[in-house]
Amino acid sequence: MEVDHRSGSFNRYFTQLKDNETKEAAFGNDQNSAPRSGKAVNFIDEAMQIDSENGEEEEDDDDEEFIAPVINRFIRRASVCAEAFNPDEDEEDKEPRVTYPKTDEQRQRLQEACRDILLFKNLDPEEMSQVLDAMFEKFFTEGEHIIDQDDDGDNFYVIESGTFNIFVKVDGIEKLVGCYDNRGSFGELALMYNTPRAATIIATSPGALWCLDRLTFRRIIVKNNAKKRKLYEAFIETLPLLTSLETSERMKVVDVLSTRVYNDSQQIIAQGDLADCFYIVESGQVRITMKRSRMTKKDQEEEEVEIATCTRGQYFGELALVTNKPRAASAYAVGSVKCLVMDVQAFERLLGPCMDIMKRNIANYEEQLQSLFGSSPEIEQPSA
């Protein structure tokens, strides 16, 4: 038989396994006898738990004795959130809804903290109520690690108070890449894309966070974004500005967009204001104007001159974000207008590859202003 023909190979194979088992057992005893830090204990315990979570049951005692699994604390454990997500399936809706009781004062503070969170902008009232019900408060101290790079994602965090530093490990060295100051949110990427944490967040002061568990986040936020993707995928792919982005990068842009509707003649941005958002016209027209001074018989007056019109697929509001200057122009809705809006943090994080295109447009704007005003306003300083 084929087994008999290979008996020599099998004997050597099992002899090697037995030798390995002996060495591994010795290694495990050395590890267990050495003192461990809290972090190491948590990491190893988690690695041991994941086997049972994945349903890797022992077939019999003899097999476990002979082929003992080796736990390597230097290998990241299998992700508990690596399952595929289909927004058309409602399996996660079968999970019991999580609710943390809150006082009126707590709920008011929570609503205030969530007011400007972009991920919540497209939720309907019932979904938003479920999110608020499921969030729980967590207090932290200075120096505490909120999340660590390469860990699995467990919660999404909304900042109520406190300051944080953001570190990213590059070539084995942690580099400070940003900070949060008493507002904002973090931790969504690992939950949305089933990836390990992309950064380490460390508190630099005492404060408070509101946390949303992974299952609720996926059931409501991820499903909502999946529906939004279907709605905006085709539209986003037609935008010339985003052609330099990879498909996955464009989808991340879709995930952070919110929708705003404006009535006829309503002001969208005002000249001289600080920039906080970038706008893409989804439907309708937007009139761009700039103030200029003109002399009259009595005095010097300012008038608004229309310098451009934006239609479906065109964008505005980017120059102030590119140049970090106040708005150089105003924008008004012409009829009913719907815009896709991206906040400044997402703009800087996701549209880096498009920055060259936007900077080239500054020169085009200057040429247009030259023809309109007879001289070029200093668009590089105040900018729309």
Side-chain angles (χ1 to χ4, degrees):
M1 292 177 62
E2 185 177 4
V3 173
D4 293 333
H5 177 68
R6 299 181 178 177
S7 60
S9 298
F10 272 88
N11 288 334
R12 287 194 299 273
Y13 172 74
F14 285 109
T15 301
Q16 184 177 3
L17 279 180
K18 190 65 178 176
D19 291 340
N20 288 344
E21 180 198 15
T22 304
K23 294 176 183 177
E24 289 159 4
F27 176 79
N29 290 334
D30 291 340
Q31 291 292 315
N32 292 332
S33 62
R36 298 175 182 172
S37 66
K39 183 65 179 176
V41 171
N42 290 338
F43 192 93
I44 293 175
D45 287 345
E46 286 189 333
M48 294 172 71
Q49 289 170 3
I50 194 62
D51 291 338
S52 61
E53 288 173 4
N54 288 336
E56 294 177 17
E57 298 177 358
E58 312 127 0
E59 293 184 7
D60 54 62
D61 293 340
D62 294 337
D63 286 343
E64 185 182 4
E65 283 181 14
F66 186 70
I67 311 176
V70 181
I71 298 169
N72 187 341
R73 67 188 184 91
F74 298 105
I75 298 178
R76 193 179 65 84
R77 70 182 178 92
S79 175
V80 297
C81 58
E83 74 276 11
F85 176 71
N86 184 350
D88 297 323
E89 295 178 358
D90 293 329
E91 292 183 0
E92 297 202 29
D93 286 344
K94 299 175 184 177
E95 295 288 336
R97 302 253 171 115
V98 178
T99 299
Y100 290 92
K102 299 172 183 69
T103 65
D104 291 341
E105 183 268 339
Q106 281 180 310
R107 197 167 185 90
Q108 185 175 355
R109 287 191 287 110
L110 174 57
Q111 288 174 328
E112 180 62 26
C114 293
R115 185 165 54 88
D116 295 321
I117 302 303
L118 199 60
L119 282 171
F120 296 162
K121 292 290 187 182
N122 292 314
L123 299 181
D124 62 38
E126 182 182 353
E127 290 171 329
M128 190 65 210
S129 179
Q130 290 180 29
V131 166
L132 296 179
D133 287 343
M135 297 187 81
F136 59 94
E137 194 170 18
K138 177 183 177 182
F139 298 97
F140 55 88
T141 58
E142 182 179 354
E144 186 173 343
H145 285 228
I146 310 302
I147 62 176
D148 287 296
Q149 187 171 345
D150 294 329
D151 278 1
D152 291 325
D154 51 359
N155 293 311
F156 170 65
Y157 299 93
V158 174
I159 300 168
E160 181 184 337
S161 63
T163 56
F164 306 82
N165 280 342
I166 308 167
F167 294 93
V168 173
K169 193 176 293 183
V170 180
D171 297 328
I173 301 174
E174 281 196 338
K175 296 185 177 180
L176 179 65
V177 297
C179 60
Y180 293 101
D181 187 358
N182 288 286
R183 59 176 298 192
S185 61
F186 57 87
E188 75 277 11
L189 293 181
L191 305 185
M192 293 175 74
Y193 302 110
N194 291 327
T195 56
R197 295 293 194 191
T200 296
I201 309 289
I202 301 177
T204 55
S205 74
L209 293 166
W210 288 99
C211 314
L212 182 65
D213 71 275
R214 172 185 158 274
L215 283 178
T216 304
F217 183 93
R218 286 173 61 78
R219 179 172 57 82
I220 299 177
I221 309 298
V222 175
K223 185 169 288 189
N224 183 277
N225 275 284
K227 292 176 182 176
K228 187 172 66 172
R229 277 188 176 190
K230 286 185 176 181
L231 184 64
Y232 290 129
E233 261 181 9
F235 175 63
I236 289 295
E237 287 177 357
T238 65
L239 299 180
L241 172 67
L242 304 183
T243 53
S244 59
L245 296 180
E246 299 289 339
T247 301
S248 60
E249 293 173 323
R250 284 199 294 270
M251 291 305 97
K252 289 180 181 180
V253 169
V254 171
D255 288 338
V256 299
L257 290 173
S258 62
T259 304
R260 293 185 191 175
V261 177
Y262 301 93
N263 299 321
D264 184 37
S265 301
Q266 184 176 350
Q267 189 176 62
I268 302 172
I269 60 176
Q271 186 172 340
D273 283 357
L274 295 177
D276 58 353
C277 290
F278 164 70
Y279 301 82
I280 302 171
V281 181
E282 183 184 354
S283 63
Q285 291 187 349
V286 175
R287 184 168 58 95
I288 310 297
T289 67
M290 181 176 284
K291 293 178 182 178
R292 72 172 181 182
S293 299
R294 65 167 186 161
M295 295 297 297
T296 64
K297 292 181 180 179
K298 295 182 178 180
D299 203 353
Q300 182 173 332
E301 295 180 353
E302 280 193 340
E303 63 175 352
E304 279 194 324
V305 178
E306 184 172 328
I307 60 173
T309 299
C310 295
T311 57
R312 176 178 170 83
Q314 295 182 311
Y315 58 91
F316 61 95
E318 82 286 0
L319 293 184
L321 302 180
V322 172
T323 59
N324 295 314
K325 300 295 182 181
R327 303 285 192 192
S330 298
Y332 298 90
V334 179
S336 179
V337 172
K338 182 186 285 188
C339 289
L340 302 179
V341 183
M342 180 186 296
D343 69 18
V344 60
Q345 289 86 5
F347 178 88
E348 292 172 348
R349 186 173 75 244
L350 298 176
L351 294 189
C354 308
M355 204 63 72
D356 288 341
I357 298 174
M358 297 181 198
K359 288 180 178 178
R360 285 200 299 271
N361 285 338
I362 293 178
N364 296 335
Y365 293 145
E366 286 181 329
E367 290 178 6
Q368 294 173 14
L369 295 175
Q370 180 77 30
S371 63
L372 284 170
F373 293 97
S375 63
S376 176
E378 293 182 357
I379 199 168
E380 295 267 0
Q381 294 179 11
S383 180

